[in-house]
Amino acid sequence: MNKTIQPVRAPDLRRMKRRGEKIAMLTAYDFTMARLLDRAGVDVLLVGDSLGMVVLGYETTVPVTLDMMVHHAAAAARGAQRALVVADMPFMTYRTSVPAALSNAARLIQQGGAAAVKIEGGHAVLEVAQRLVESGIPVMGHLGLTPQAVHQLGGFRKQAKHPREASRLLSDARALEAAGVFAVVLEVIPEDLAAEVSGALEIPTIGIGAGPYCDGQVLVSHDVFGLYDECAPGFVKQYAQLGRQMTEAAEAYAREVRRGDYPAAAKSRKRDSISR
Ligand code: KIV
């Protein structure tokens, strides 16, 4: 670890909110991606269970297992020097019992190298959130469109559009804060509701498709970099088209190999080393 770098810790996010500093969070699922995003100064790296869709090719996040999350979290954590690494607890790994949730979260921290975990849900996960926090594991909440509940929600669609759902979401957010979570993701909810929740909480809100009034923003990196074009949601801004560039680069490589242009005939082979 580089001693001059000040790592971001979970309590720093609340301080950032107090100072009015917006929090930048992106997903990362492996060493190389985490290292690049960490170097760019992204504050929080989320090893999201979205890896099931953008890395593993599933249609939802539901098939993602704890073993998969531990494996990817460990790789991402090795790439991060400054950013706070948060790992998603996957489907059902924190819902069956508090002891199961504690031991599953422990694996993400101990073997996965994450510094915090994220869980989806409101009142149903309060006891788990509180027990994790009491055990020294920082917890990030996640409300609104909770992708692990996709089958119950009937698809990936905007949540809390009606007043009763909106007030339920606000009360869930307050309850999560009281349970000790250090931040809460608000996914695909109306922006005025996101503003109200952000104003009501001392902990930061991190929005995704929830408008500009959250204390931070998160996006799935594969969407941001143009690597995953299966179903990028409308609120995503593509900052690069790396997918297209990679395809073009691979085409150029294949062409050169087939033509015999790569590797070029050696003029004089002085270097025998194959180190990178
Ligand atoms: O899994 C994930 O990437 C997430 C973000 C969309 C917040 O939970």
Side-chain angles (χ1 to χ4, degrees), residues 21 43 53 70 109 128 132 178 268:
E21 291 169 28
D43 303 304
M53 299 172 74
V70 169
I109 304 291
V128 161
L132 288 168
S268 65

Side-chain angles (χ1 to χ4, degrees), residues 123-138:
H123 280 83
V125 299
L126 284 185
E127 190 190 354
V128 161
Q130 191 172 341
R131 293 289 297 280
L132 288 168
V133 173
E134 283 166 2
S135 308
I137 297 180

Side-chain angles (χ1 to χ4, degrees), residues 21-272:
E21 291 169 28
K22 294 271 191 183
I23 298 157
M25 170 161 142
L26 281 174
T27 61
Y29 316 101
D30 63 39
F31 172 78
T32 299
M33 182 77 99
R35 194 161 61 158
L36 293 169
L37 305 187
D38 187 73
R39 282 179 185 162
V42 171
D43 303 304
V44 184
L45 297 183
L46 173 66
V47 187
D49 58 0
S50 51
L51 82 87
M53 299 172 74
V54 300
V55 175
L56 303 176
Y58 293 117
E59 280 181 14
T60 71
T61 62
V62 172
V64 175
T65 65
L66 187 66
D67 283 343
M68 291 173 190
M69 289 304 301
V70 169
H71 180 77
H72 284 269
R78 286 192 286 272
Q81 290 202 311
R82 174 183 173 274
L84 176 73
V85 176
V86 180
D88 258 335
M89 294 196 70
F91 183 68
M92 280 297 147
T93 58
Y94 52 97
R95 293 266 185 169
T96 55
S97 70
V98 170
L102 291 174
S103 63
N104 291 336
R107 281 194 64 202
L108 289 167
I109 304 291
Q110 214 167 22
Q111 298 166 21
V117 297
K118 177 164 78 59
I119 60 179
E120 296 182 4
H123 280 83
V125 299
L126 284 185
E127 190 190 354
V128 161
Q130 191 172 341
R131 293 289 297 280
L132 288 168
V133 173
E134 283 166 2
S135 308
I137 297 180
V139 176
M140 180 178 274
H142 186 154
L143 295 171
L145 171 50
T146 46
Q148 290 170 14
V150 61
H151 298 309
Q152 195 167 45
L153 300 176
F156 298 105
R157 50 175 66 124
K158 195 172 208 159
Q159 298 298 307
K161 288 191 289 189
H162 306 295
R164 198 175 323 141
E165 294 158 15
S167 73
R168 168 99 196 164
L169 189 141
L170 179 58
S171 115
D172 280 342
R174 286 200 166 108
L176 284 170
E177 176 171 73
V181 313
F182 69 95
V184 59
V185 168
L186 300 178
E187 181 162 355
V188 196
I189 62 169
E191 64 180 50
D192 54 346
L193 175 61
E196 188 182 353
V197 175
S198 305
L201 302 186
E202 283 179 27
I203 56 168
T205 57
I206 317 274
I208 171 164
Y213 307 114
C214 293
D215 304 301
Q217 296 292 328
V218 58
L219 283 174
V220 170
S221 290
H222 285 57
D223 291 337
V224 170
F225 301 130
L227 287 166
Y228 181 78
D229 46 21
E230 298 296 308
C231 61
F235 55 79
V236 166
K237 178 168 172 186
Q238 246 187 33
Y239 286 80
Q241 287 78 45
L242 301 189
R244 200 181 61 212
Q245 278 186 268
M246 284 174 72
T247 304
E248 284 168 8
E251 281 167 0
Y253 165 76
R255 205 166 39 240
E256 291 198 4
V257 169
R258 287 181 193 126
R259 279 195 204 137
D261 293 344
Y262 178 83
K267 291 194 184 101
S268 65
R269 276 253 169 261
K270 285 204 183 115
R271 263 185 77 213
D272 287 334

